[in-house]
Amino acid sequence: QSPDAEPLQGALLTRRAWICGVRLSLILLFAALDSIHKVPLWASTGVASTASCLLDLCVDLCRLDNVGSNTWLTVSSLPWEVLPFAMSLFFIVEVLDSAGLVATLAQTF
């Protein structure tokens, strides 16, 4: 590996980390204030997820730090077999919420 490769890798991680950190902070702040703006959590998370994917694609298209395939490399290395399990957890929580168990647990704890 050349001596010039290390600063590029650090710059890549630093710039993209700042973009992701700011993006995550904003959506967490927005989600925490849901009692004020009354936007459902699923809607704000869905919009933020879609916007995040688009932003990552734009960052790749702009070749930030001379790298244009970071999003594709991340998506291609995801463990896709976990997706049905993760989706089923959302359905389970929604059913438990509809049954009133989530509210009962919230009052208990």
Side-chain angles (χ1 to χ4, degrees):
Q1 192 175 25
S2 70
D4 297 333
E6 190 62 33
L8 177 62
Q9 184 67 14
L12 169 72
L13 296 175
T14 302
R15 290 179 185 162
R16 289 182 188 251
W18 272 103
I19 291 170
C20 292
V22 168
R23 175 172 68 197
L24 181 62
S25 299
L26 289 174
I27 188 57
L28 289 176
L29 179 64
F30 189 78
L33 298 174
D34 68 335
S35 62
I36 296 171
H37 56 68
K38 306 292 186 212
V39 175
L41 188 57
W42 65 267
S44 60
T45 305
V47 169
S49 298
T50 303
S52 293
C53 289
L54 292 174
L55 178 61
D56 287 339
L57 289 172
C58 289
V59 166
D60 277 353
L61 287 174
C62 293
R63 299 194 53 81
L64 182 67
D65 297 319
N66 298 321
V67 176
S69 61
N70 195 44
T71 303
W72 173 249
L73 291 173
T74 302
V75 170
S76 65
S77 66
L78 287 175
W80 290 103
E81 56 275 357
V82 177
L83 186 64
F85 172 72
M87 292 301 293
S88 68
L89 292 177
F90 286 103
F91 291 120
I92 290 170
V93 170
E94 184 62 33
V95 168
L96 292 175
D97 187 37
S98 297
L101 185 61
V102 173
T104 303
L105 288 174
Q107 290 175 353
T108 303
F109 297 104

